[in-house]
Amino acid sequence: MIYTVTISPAIDYIVHLDSMVMGATNRSRQEEYYFGGKGINVSVMLQHLGVPSVALGFVAGFTGEALKKGLHDQNIATDFVHLGTGITRINVKIKSTQETEINGQGAIPEEKDFLLLIDKLTKMRKGDILVISGSIPNGLPADTYDRLLSTAEMQGALPVVDTNGELLLSTLKHRPFLIKPNRDELIDLFGEITPLEGAERLHAMGARNVIISLGREGAMLLAEDGRIYRCGVPSGSAINTVGSGDSMVAGFIAGYSTTQNYQHALNLGGAAGSATAFTPGLADRDSIEACLAELEQ
């Protein structure tokens, strides 16, 4: 089974305006909402690819109930910890002549809540996959990821970590099965360095498989077998970067868990990431398969 953890999920409320005037009443011309959070994006994309998962994390209040119901309506299993106070955050994204985002704070779990999440992770078994994504919200201890990854190690699960900076480096001692920095994040970590040099350095520090996202140049994978794999970018126009990286992670996991073939897994990851970049929300299966066919021809 695949488990995803989203420490601070959100409902993303997107408002489209022809123009926005500060201090006045503005009326939208279009609205949409998505159930967000990097781990949740991975679970949604896995569902689109026909691979089941269980979404974990913390929810609170009426917005948390709405998020949970929305995932269930998409046939995504959940096992959230319900917090006693606060609400699951709402992120407002205003798209007009300029884009403006207002990200909510949301409810902060206490230690007793975190222990409940740890207990849920003890359901994992050897060979299961645990995806931990994003940053650690304010109010949670710095060792939050260490505790989650230590639990995965004890259960024999394969951890996938999608974060950046010093937090990413701090997880490498747990030998994550997969990490996925992009080229800019490599430079932030190591200074001017080639993608291959960065991947080799991260591999030497403990990462078993390292995908480097290269934007319009596709992606490369330094795999645990020591080989280098590459994929290009299918044709299309990018209109949305939100969720693209999460889609790549989900595609790779789906491809590898079903075939154990690194090239196919990377291609499916690239196809899923690109398909999402070409659509307003997370891509559907038909869009992904069209991109995959182009990459594998």
Side-chain angles (χ1 to χ4, degrees), residues 68-116:
K68 181 179 175 181
K69 181 181 183 301
L71 295 181
H72 287 178
D73 289 346
Q74 298 178 65
N75 296 315
I76 297 170
T78 66
D79 194 11
F80 291 116
V81 175
H82 290 257
L83 306 182
T85 59
I87 64 170
T88 291
R89 64 195 175 115
I90 300 173
N91 297 332
V92 180
K93 303 179 185 294
I94 301 170
K95 297 196 174 187
S96 183
T97 52
Q98 292 181 313
E99 291 195 13
T100 303
E101 295 189 10
I102 305 170
N103 287 344
Q105 174 68 33
I108 303 297
E110 300 177 5
E111 175 65 13
K112 62 182 178 63
D113 303 311
F114 193 78
L115 291 176
L116 288 174

Side-chain angles (χ1 to χ4, degrees), residues 2 6 14 35 49 78 145 149 204 223 246 274 293-294:
I2 300 168
T6 306
I14 301 171
F35 302 112
L49 292 169
T78 66
Y145 271 23
L149 292 168
D246 307 322
S274 293
E294 185 175 340

Side-chain angles (χ1 to χ4, degrees), residues 72-253:
H72 287 178
D73 289 346
Q74 298 178 65
N75 296 315
I76 297 170
T78 66
D79 194 11
F80 291 116
V81 175
H82 290 257
L83 306 182
T85 59
I87 64 170
T88 291
R89 64 195 175 115
I90 300 173
N91 297 332
V92 180
K93 303 179 185 294
I94 301 170
K95 297 196 174 187
S96 183
T97 52
Q98 292 181 313
E99 291 195 13
T100 303
E101 295 189 10
I102 305 170
N103 287 344
Q105 174 68 33
I108 303 297
E110 300 177 5
E111 175 65 13
K112 62 182 178 63
D113 303 311
F114 193 78
L115 291 176
L116 288 174
L117 176 59
I118 293 289
D119 184 64
K120 291 177 182 295
L121 293 180
T122 61
K123 297 176 183 178
M124 294 186 298
R125 296 294 178 261
K126 185 176 182 179
D128 287 346
I129 295 174
L130 175 66
V131 182
I132 306 174
S133 305
S135 57
I136 298 175
N138 293 333
L140 287 180
D143 66 348
T144 294
Y145 271 23
D146 279 332
R147 296 170 71 184
L148 296 175
L149 292 168
S150 293
T151 303
E153 285 181 292
M154 288 188 291
Q155 301 303 121
L158 300 174
V160 173
V161 178
D162 187 12
T163 188
N164 54 51
E166 291 299 321
L167 180 57
L168 174 62
L169 295 183
S170 74
T171 69
L172 299 182
K173 59 180 175 289
H174 297 283
R175 301 199 71 244
F177 176 73
L178 176 69
I179 62 173
K180 187 205 60 63
N182 60 39
R183 179 156 35 198
D184 289 340
E185 290 166 348
L186 278 184
I187 292 172
D188 288 341
L189 286 173
F190 303 125
E192 288 298 329
I193 194 171
T194 69
L196 178 57
E197 289 170 337
E200 289 174 336
R201 199 175 289 190
L202 291 167
H203 191 272
M205 295 171 72
R208 294 167 58 183
N209 296 287
V210 182
I211 293 177
I212 307 295
S213 178
L214 301 172
R216 294 181 179 179
E217 297 174 33
M220 63 160 287
L221 165 69
L222 176 57
E224 190 171 15
D225 65 6
R227 297 179 61 185
I228 299 166
Y229 301 84
R230 300 182 185 275
C231 78
V233 177
S235 56
S237 299
I239 61 172
N240 165 50
T241 59
V242 177
S244 182
D246 307 322
S247 297
M248 174 176 276
V249 169
F252 182 90
I253 293 170

Side-chain angles (χ1 to χ4, degrees), residues 272-288:
S274 293
T276 288
F278 299 158
T279 58
L282 297 177
D284 60 25
R285 187 165 186 167
D286 288 344
S287 300
I288 297 166

Side-chain angles (χ1 to χ4, degrees), residues 19 31 38 82 111 161 193 251 258 261:
S19 62
E31 304 159 14
K38 293 177 68 62
H82 290 257
E111 175 65 13
V161 178
I193 194 171
T258 53
N261 182 292

